[in-house]
């Protein structure tokens, strides 16, 4: 169920009109390759209306619409697409992504950033060599609530299409996503609300303290995937746990550490299900920077009690 975000930066160059039209034709044919694998789930996400597009400087989309390729059915196909514009229409309720920015080769590429955050695909007009790739590396800069850090900077990878060749490279993934949507698999969960509603069925070994329901339902869109991945790893670790060979507890599948003593004292006490206040200083990371899951494993019941999912406690 791919959302295809048009990279506006690829539409800001100056190029020969015939070359622009050829690039647009190629891009539409690439979108058709994607749609053939998942027509109901394919959405074209734009900054502005399809009919208002500028394909290059001084080159309105209407100039391409008059070409034989467009008249031959490509323009009609685009008009029938499940197009969303402006792109904020696909954002989760209340989300603005104002605290995160993306760049490529030193230039801002917000639409590609939105594609990365929402698990979509970036699409570009192939008018520059830098867009000739089925994957792009973006620099992501995110503001964090830590005065000593200010912003977390990391490189992230994005699926990308500017030609039919690029689209072909993603066919297996698109097909897998479409099949997963039909099965209702975990992989297609996109929002915190969806994740919370399926937690009991998907993670039977995990129990969430009451306030964690709110944390999950309000989870930022770009945290949904890493959180669900960590929860799935934890649930599987409990199912595979052998008390005889692993007396200290399950092998969690990612780095798990205790909190420092001062932070443990100040931030890690929570009221457990039995009404007793206990320390939940054991935690793992669902992002390299501030994303944390605080929990305790109860050997007697073989259950994980989760007390916090969100930013690092105390910041």
């Amino acid at each position: 169920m791919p959302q295809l975000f048009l990279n506006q930066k690829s539409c800001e160059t100056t190029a020969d009109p015939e070359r622009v039209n050829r690039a647009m034709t190629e891009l539409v044919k690439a979108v058709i390759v994607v749609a053939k694998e998942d027509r109901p789930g394919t959405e074209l996400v734009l900054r502005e209306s399809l009919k208002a597009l500028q394909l290059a400087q001084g080159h309105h989309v209407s100039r391409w619409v008059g070409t034989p390729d467009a008249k031959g059915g490509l323009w009609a196909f685009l008009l029938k697409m499940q197009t969303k514009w402006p792109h904020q229409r696909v954002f989760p309720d209340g989300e603005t992504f104002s605290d995160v920015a993306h760049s490529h080769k030193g230039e801002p590429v917000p639409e590609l950033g939105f594609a990365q955050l929402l698990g979509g695909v970036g699409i570009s007009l192939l008018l520059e060599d830098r867009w000739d790739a089925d994957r792009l590396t973006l620099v992501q800069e995110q503001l964090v609530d830590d005065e000593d850090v200010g912003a977390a900077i990391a490189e992230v990878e994005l699926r990308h299409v500017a030609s039919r060749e690029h689209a072909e490279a993603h066919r297996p993934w698109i097909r897998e996503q479409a099949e997963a949507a039909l099965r209702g698999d975990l992989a297609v969960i996109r929002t915190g609300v969806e994740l919370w509603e399926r937690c009991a069925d998907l993670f039977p070994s995990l129990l969430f303290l009451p306030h964690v329901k709110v944390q999950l339902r309000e989870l930022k869109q770009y945290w949904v995937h890493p959180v669900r991945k960590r929860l799935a790893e934890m649930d599987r670790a409990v199912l595979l746990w052998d008390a005889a060979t692993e007396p200290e507890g399950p092998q969690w599948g990612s780095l798990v550490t205790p909190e420092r003593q001062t932070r443990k004292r100040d931030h890690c006490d929570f009221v457990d299900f039995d009404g007793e206040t206990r320390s939940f200083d054991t935690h793992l990371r669902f992002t390299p920077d501030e994303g944390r899951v605080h929990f305790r494993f109860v050997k007697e019941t073989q259950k994980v009690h989760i007390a916090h999912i969100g930013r690092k406690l105390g910041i």
Side-chain angles (χ1 to χ4, degrees):
M1 45 192 306
Q3 292 180 323
L4 308 178
F5 288 75
L6 178 62
N7 171 23
Q8 199 68 32
K9 183 62 67 175
S10 73
C11 302
E12 296 176 358
T13 187
T14 300
D16 176 83
E18 290 188 9
R19 186 164 173 241
V20 175
N21 288 337
R22 287 197 302 271
M24 183 61 177
T25 295
E26 180 62 22
L27 179 59
V28 177
K29 289 182 177 179
V31 172
I32 290 174
V33 172
V34 174
K36 282 183 176 179
E37 292 297 333
D38 185 10
R39 180 62 189 91
T42 301
E43 293 182 334
L44 186 60
V45 185
L46 309 170
R47 178 189 295 183
E48 56 191 352
S49 165
L50 186 62
K51 294 181 179 180
L53 278 182
Q54 294 286 335
L55 304 182
Q57 293 186 25
H59 194 114
H60 188 267
V61 69
S62 59
R63 299 181 68 178
W64 172 77
V65 172
T67 65
D69 286 325
K71 291 179 177 179
L74 297 186
W75 178 237
F77 165 79
L78 279 186
L79 291 176
K80 291 178 181 178
M81 288 283 292
Q82 295 172 320
T83 305
K84 296 292 182 66
W85 66 274
H87 42 54
Q88 287 89 341
R89 287 185 61 192
V90 302
F91 291 0
D93 290 343
E95 184 61 82
T96 64
F97 297 123
S98 60
D99 60 345
V100 61
H102 293 80
S103 61
H104 178 68
K105 296 188 183 299
E107 293 189 295
V109 284
E111 291 81 18
L112 296 183
F114 299 147
Q116 197 278 330
L117 293 169
L118 294 170
V121 178
I123 62 173
S124 302
L125 284 175
L126 191 49
L127 296 174
E128 297 178 85
D129 290 343
R130 58 174 165 165
W131 309 128
D132 191 7
D134 59 35
R135 281 177 172 79
L136 297 176
T137 299
L138 310 180
V139 175
Q140 176 178 289
E141 185 172 357
Q142 181 182 350
L143 297 177
V144 297
D145 298 328
D146 189 334
E147 294 181 358
D148 295 330
V149 177
I153 300 176
E155 289 189 347
V156 295
E157 188 176 77
L158 170 69
R159 296 180 187 276
H160 178 257
V161 168
S163 69
R164 282 169 285 181
E165 181 182 356
H166 301 157
E168 290 290 346
H170 299 307
R171 263 188 190 271
W173 173 76
I174 298 165
R175 188 180 302 121
E176 179 182 330
Q177 292 290 299
E179 293 172 353
L182 292 174
R183 296 193 304 266
D185 283 4
L186 177 64
V188 299
I189 292 176
R190 288 183 173 179
T191 70
V193 172
E194 292 173 340
L195 182 59
W196 169 253
E197 290 176 347
R198 299 192 59 191
C199 271
D201 295 330
L202 294 171
F203 316 121
S205 299
L206 311 184
L207 301 177
F208 303 86
L209 296 188
H211 62 271
V212 180
K213 172 183 177 179
V214 177
Q215 292 178 332
L216 278 174
R217 289 179 64 90
E218 296 180 353
L219 205 62
K220 289 180 178 293
Q221 181 83 15
Y222 49 88
W223 276 359
V224 171
H225 174 68
V227 167
R228 76 188 184 207
K229 179 180 179 182
R230 286 288 180 258
L231 296 181
E233 290 173 350
M234 295 177 75
D235 189 76
R236 177 173 172 77
V238 175
L239 294 176
L240 296 177
W241 180 56
D242 184 342
T245 59
E246 300 171 337
E248 298 301 316
Q251 300 297 309
W252 299 112
S254 63
L255 179 63
V256 173
T257 57
E259 195 61 88
R260 292 180 300 174
Q261 192 61 36
T262 54
R263 295 185 60 80
K264 174 181 178 180
R265 182 188 64 242
D266 295 338
H267 304 294
C268 298
D269 286 347
F270 294 89
V271 178
D272 210 341
F273 291 105
D274 59 2
E276 295 291 328
T277 298
R278 295 189 173 86
S279 177
F280 286 76
D281 67 304
T282 302
H283 65 277
L284 55 78
R285 292 170 172 80
F286 60 82
T287 67
D289 39 54
E290 79 270 23
R292 301 287 193 276
V293 177
H294 280 257
F295 68 95
R296 59 185 294 265
F297 177 60
V298 183
K299 294 181 181 179
E300 295 76 15
T301 60
Q302 297 188 31
K303 298 289 186 181
V304 176
H305 293 192
I306 296 179
H308 174 77
I309 299 177
R311 294 188 184 278
K312 182 178 179 180
L313 289 170
I315 63 171

